Amino acid sequence: MVNLTRRAFTMTTTLGLGAATLGFSVKRAVAAEYSLKFAFNLAETHPITARAREAAARIQQETNGRVELQVYPNNQLGSDTDMLSQVRAGGIDLFLNSGINVLSTMVPSASIYGLGFIFPDYDTVWKTMDGELGVALRKLIEKVNLLPMEKMWDNGFRHITTSTHPVNSPADLEGMKIRVPVGALWTSMFQTFGAAPASINFNELYSALQTKVVDGQENSLANIKTANIVEVQKFCALTRHMWDAFFCVANKRNWEGLPADVQEVVSRNINQAALDERQDMAKLSESLKDVLAKQGLVFNQPDTEPFRQKLRDGGFYTGWREKYGEELWAILEKTVGKLT
């Protein structure tokens, strides 16, 4: 065993991943030297959780039990805000969070990829985020002593659901109480549409909809399904108004306390899991509409150009260009085209 004072990670003498259920055979002869906490807000049934558990099993197998990656989905370790504080302090070792969400409270420019209506498809998404813009954002995140892994985890294109009426045009959002995640970009966009956005953490979303604190919300179809949003919403407008994804960030001090060979195994498997999860989400985006419709969600397909024009006319893009700066804005427009 490694002396605890020499490592920032929690030491443990037992293994509890149950990797055999995922099809991996793990030798248990060696007690885990390093136990890493990997936390995020997605439900147990979300593809991200499944792929994270697969990565944990592979890491355990490849290190012959030296490394135990403990996966904590579904806000088990607190809200996004809580978990960000914990990963900064070192209580959580690895954290998945959107650059548009609470991570943007520390790194405001990390939210740039969440601008409304900038990505027409996944080809453009990954050309941008696996390319120059992704590199630039990871460098900014490193400046706050968080170490981002190379590959982002897809959280899908987002759509608007409501309990009151379908959203066919920007006018249908005027005055609507709509839940948005914690992040200035969401608030800014829906305020431009004339809505009344309320920043609520994901673990409080279902309750807020059920008790009518808000009348609507926006999320990917995968999140709508796994969080049972269909139980408390009636309509879904397929707006694809934003694309979102998660950076996997590590506590820098904890990460640097790991041997190089362990860093390589962990980072490689986490990045591979992210790539696998991207494929899962792409397939789900094609199939979940039918699944949710059978559960009672009523879909409509609005023309998105009036929404874009409303954002242009309201100064949304111009205002955020000033906040992000010309350098990042130019990198973004290389792949998505002119926005202003």
Side-chain angles (χ1 to χ4, degrees):
M1 294 291 290
V2 178
N3 190 322
L4 181 60
T5 61
R6 295 175 56 201
R7 300 294 181 201
F9 291 93
T10 305
M11 301 307 173
T12 182
T13 57
T14 60
L15 298 175
L17 290 175
T21 61
L22 294 172
F24 295 91
S25 176
V26 179
K27 295 180 180 179
R28 301 171 70 94
V30 180
E33 277 185 86
Y34 305 97
S35 183
L36 286 61
K37 291 182 178 179
F38 184 18
F40 44 88
N41 66 18
L42 283 309
E44 185 66 48
T45 53
H46 196 283
I48 282 179
T49 306
R51 293 301 186 178
R53 293 198 186 285
E54 288 183 1
R58 287 196 301 267
I59 289 165
Q60 190 177 16
Q61 182 184 46
E62 290 184 29
T63 61
N64 195 29
R66 286 179 66 208
V67 181
E68 178 187 30
L69 184 66
Q70 299 174 341
V71 179
Y72 294 92
N74 204 30
N75 293 109
Q76 290 180 31
L77 299 186
S79 69
D80 287 341
T81 305
D82 295 332
M83 288 187 285
L84 180 61
S85 296
Q86 290 178 66
V87 77
R88 292 186 68 195
I92 291 175
D93 304 298
L94 296 158
F95 174 44
L96 282 178
N97 189 243
S98 165
I100 319 170
N101 202 334
V102 297
L103 188 58
S104 68
T105 62
M106 291 182 58
V107 189
S109 294
S111 67
I112 189 171
Y113 67 85
L115 285 162
F117 300 100
I118 63 171
F119 291 122
D121 50 43
Y122 271 121
D123 286 344
T124 308
V125 162
W126 300 125
K127 183 179 179 181
T128 303
M129 301 313 298
D130 286 338
E132 190 177 352
L133 184 64
V135 171
L137 296 184
R138 290 194 296 275
K139 287 180 179 178
L140 290 173
I141 293 170
E142 286 183 32
K143 291 182 179 180
V144 298
N145 290 318
L146 293 174
L147 181 69
M149 299 291 111
E150 182 181 357
K151 300 300 182 182
M152 295 184 77
W153 298 59
D154 185 20
N155 198 27
F157 282 96
R158 302 177 77 90
H159 311 285
I160 298 169
T161 71
T162 65
S163 61
T164 52
H165 58 268
V167 174
N168 284 298
S169 71
D172 294 321
L173 289 169
E174 290 181 9
M176 178 182 289
K177 295 184 297 180
I178 184 167
R179 176 268 177 179
V180 295
V182 178
L185 192 60
W186 270 288
T187 300
S188 170
M189 183 171 69
F190 281 97
Q191 284 178 338
T192 305
F193 289 137
S199 296
I200 299 172
N201 274 306
F202 188 76
N203 61 324
E204 301 168 347
L205 171 56
Y206 186 96
S207 175
L209 293 169
Q210 187 178 43
T211 57
K212 304 297 184 181
V213 171
V214 290
D215 297 316
Q217 65 89 51
E218 50 77 64
N219 250 301
S220 68
L221 293 183
N223 281 353
I224 291 168
K225 176 70 173 79
T226 58
N228 298 315
I229 300 300
V230 67
E231 296 177 357
V232 286
Q233 297 279 268
K234 182 176 180 181
F235 303 100
C236 181
L238 294 169
T239 50
R240 292 169 64 94
H241 56 275
M242 295 169 74
W243 171 79
D244 192 18
F246 294 102
F247 289 100
C248 180
V249 296
N251 176 281
K252 191 170 186 289
R253 182 182 64 254
N254 288 6
W255 183 260
E256 291 177 347
L258 287 171
D261 63 325
V262 171
Q263 291 179 3
E264 190 280 327
V265 171
V266 173
S267 61
R268 171 167 47 80
N269 279 289
I270 286 178
N271 286 326
Q272 183 59 53
L275 294 175
D276 293 339
E277 182 270 342
R278 293 180 186 183
Q279 296 301 314
D280 297 336
M281 290 293 286
K283 293 174 183 175
L284 279 175
S285 67
E286 300 298 322
S287 64
L288 277 178
K289 181 182 173 183
D290 289 340
V291 172
L292 290 166
K294 289 178 181 177
Q295 291 182 303
L297 201 59
V298 178
F299 286 91
N300 66 294
Q301 182 78 64
D303 179 4
T304 57
E305 184 52 37
F307 292 86
R308 290 191 191 90
Q309 193 59 51
K310 182 77 171 178
L311 293 179
R312 293 189 195 103
D313 294 344
F316 174 79
Y317 296 121
T318 302
W320 281 99
R321 179 174 184 163
E322 292 175 1
K323 290 184 174 75
Y324 292 130
E326 292 301 318
E327 182 178 357
L328 269 186
W329 198 265
I331 293 172
L332 174 68
E333 289 190 333
K334 284 181 183 179
T335 51
V336 305
K338 292 293 183 181
L339 297 172
T340 57

